Amino acid sequence: MPTAASYAPSFHRHNLIDRKHTKLIVDFLQVTIAQINQNFYLQLQDTDTNQTWSIPITYQELDISTVSSNIPEPPQLLLDWLGACTGEEQQAILKLREKVLGFDGRIKEEIEGRNTIRYGRGKAKPVAELCYQRKINEPVIFLWLATPSSLLFTQRRQVIGRMRLWMDGSVVTYAGHVPEGFGRMRLESEWDAIPREKRPRNLYWSLSYKSFSPVVINTYKELIPNPDSLESLADLSLGKWLARI
């Protein structure tokens, strides 16, 4: 006989009546969230046998006590995103937000849909962007910085573009020019995890937005002494933003 499972925080007696008259074998699993020490678990309990299963939840309790009172409290959307980040990543993003909003009163925090929070003076004068990527269940950081291709030729004027940052905790490791969306760039380790037949035939690499891989963050060492510091990159981005206003 076919079987099925029903998940809910609790069950009503009508559910028992429905189960009695169905041709399916239905298991009722009661769902709860439990916190054990610093970890969170999704717990499923069979209401008939009391058998329990626990599934770890990737969630880091958020501490916003360090957020400056001089700027608005973080929007709930951002807090939701940060729940899946490590403590280091949470604080790095909150400090970035505080630095950007505290830099100039003309910089505003604008929520666009359910996946984008933009910082700047309207769409025409952005300085930073946080975009939630469902694939990794975390927000991705973008800053408006000089593009790597414009840094290669010192005689040319620096071109400011939307740069995606790759993080390792609170440290910036790579950057890539991604004009919109999340782009096609991936780290070498990410490409290696994809079956060969599903990768592009030619993993083209360059300093431009056409590249399939980002550049190491040391590309910016000529502009700032600590290019792997998100704070230093934010200062650089804010300076470029101010020059464009």
Side-chain angles (χ1 to χ4, degrees):
M1 184 177 291
T3 61
S6 180
Y7 304 87
S10 62
F11 294 96
H12 192 271
R13 63 185 183 88
H14 290 166
N15 301 129
L16 300 175
I17 296 173
D18 292 338
R19 181 171 70 168
K20 182 178 180 180
H21 293 283
T22 184
K23 293 182 178 181
L24 297 175
I25 297 176
V26 181
D27 295 323
F28 284 168
L29 300 178
Q30 190 170 5
V31 181
T32 57
I33 303 295
Q35 180 178 3
I36 303 176
N37 296 325
Q38 299 300 316
N39 301 316
F40 291 84
Y41 296 87
L42 175 68
Q43 292 191 335
L44 305 176
Q45 184 178 38
D46 189 312
T47 59
D48 297 311
T49 65
N50 288 329
Q51 184 177 358
T52 301
W53 299 266
S54 292
I55 303 171
I57 298 175
T58 303
Y59 178 82
Q60 175 71 38
E61 194 167 8
L62 188 62
D63 178 15
I64 61 172
S65 61
T66 59
V67 175
S68 171
S69 59
N70 296 325
I71 63 173
E73 291 187 0
Q76 185 59 48
L77 183 63
L78 177 57
L79 299 182
D80 293 341
W81 295 352
L82 293 178
C85 299
T86 66
E88 282 186 326
E89 292 168 338
Q90 289 177 352
Q91 291 306 310
I93 291 175
L94 289 175
K95 287 179 181 177
L96 170 65
R97 175 181 179 271
E98 182 174 341
K99 174 176 283 292
V100 169
L101 289 177
F103 180 76
D104 190 300
R106 292 171 293 181
I107 295 178
K108 304 301 180 184
E109 182 175 53
E110 299 177 341
I111 297 177
E112 185 176 303
R114 295 293 302 171
N115 298 313
T116 302
I117 302 177
R118 186 177 294 109
Y119 300 87
R121 193 178 179 185
K123 289 186 177 181
K125 300 293 183 181
V127 63
E129 196 173 88
L130 297 175
C131 295
Y132 180 71
Q133 189 173 24
R134 295 185 182 280
K135 191 172 184 179
I136 62 174
N137 194 32
E138 289 185 4
V140 174
I141 300 172
F142 295 88
L143 291 179
W144 268 255
L145 298 164
T147 62
S149 57
S150 71
L151 290 175
L152 179 63
F153 304 101
T154 55
Q155 299 89 346
R156 293 184 180 181
R157 181 178 62 87
Q158 289 181 5
V159 176
I160 305 301
R162 181 176 178 262
M163 296 295 299
R164 175 177 177 174
L165 304 183
W166 277 260
M167 307 286 294
D168 182 5
S170 61
V171 177
V172 184
T173 55
Y174 293 87
H177 182 201
V178 179
E180 60 181 4
F182 294 104
R184 64 183 181 181
M185 293 187 187
R186 299 176 187 265
L187 302 179
E188 183 178 352
S189 59
E190 294 174 315
W191 284 121
D192 289 343
I194 298 174
R196 188 173 297 275
E197 63 273 13
K198 294 185 178 181
R199 304 179 206 169
R201 290 184 179 180
N202 179 21
L203 289 177
Y204 174 77
W205 184 89
S206 73
L207 294 175
S208 78
Y209 67 91
K210 297 180 180 180
S211 176
F212 280 95
S213 298
V215 300
V216 293
I217 200 61
N218 278 345
T219 302
Y220 288 88
K221 65 182 179 181
E222 298 298 327
L223 299 180
I224 49 177
N226 299 311
D228 62 349
S229 164
L230 182 58
E231 184 176 0
S232 296
L233 287 170
D235 286 335
L236 183 61
S237 182
L238 287 166
K240 299 296 183 182
W241 176 85
L242 192 60
R244 303 196 313 271
I245 294 299

